[in-house]
Amino acid sequence: MAHQMVSFTILNEAIATYNEYRSPMATAELVSYAEDAFTVRFKGPFCRMCCDYDYFEDLIYELDDLGEDPSLIDINEITYEENEKFVVEFSII
């Protein structure tokens, strides 16, 4: 089965919208982009009323709002980088 591809342009637009509504509590930055995956660094301080994972899923919701199929986007790996920073790899299934 061939992987779908999230548009680079739409991904950048989703990150900009994400940051517009969530910064300074959470800020996203694109780290890498490939046909079947992309990696985003999230920086906090993050609101502790939410689970950190919710912040990562919110980017998928932004992509959904821009026409990407959220059922094809999965969080593959989460790495705690340092204080209030996470690197999240999303895969396209």
Side-chain angles (χ1 to χ4, degrees):
M1 179 177 181
H3 289 286
Q4 299 295 316
M5 184 173 177
V6 170
S7 161
F8 182 75
T9 302
I10 289 176
L11 178 57
N12 279 307
E13 186 177 339
I15 289 171
T17 302
Y18 179 96
N19 289 336
E20 179 181 344
Y21 291 104
R22 290 166 186 80
S23 184
M25 294 310 291
T27 305
E29 173 187 20
L30 184 62
V31 174
S32 66
Y33 175 83
E35 186 173 315
D36 61 350
F38 57 92
T39 303
V40 177
R41 177 178 291 112
F42 293 87
K43 297 177 187 177
F46 304 106
C47 173
R48 290 300 166 209
M49 295 193 60
C50 302
C51 172
D52 293 332
Y53 197 86
D54 292 340
Y55 285 102
F56 313 146
E57 284 186 327
D58 282 352
L59 183 57
I60 296 173
Y61 299 134
E62 293 297 342
L63 287 163
D64 182 24
D65 287 347
L66 294 170
E68 297 290 346
D69 184 350
S71 69
L72 299 176
I73 304 168
D74 194 27
I75 294 175
N76 188 43
E77 183 177 346
I78 300 171
T79 305
Y80 183 69
E81 197 171 65
E82 59 182 73
N83 189 31
E84 300 294 340
K85 292 183 186 174
F86 296 86
V87 176
V88 181
E89 181 181 303
F90 296 83
S91 58
I92 311 305
I93 52 176

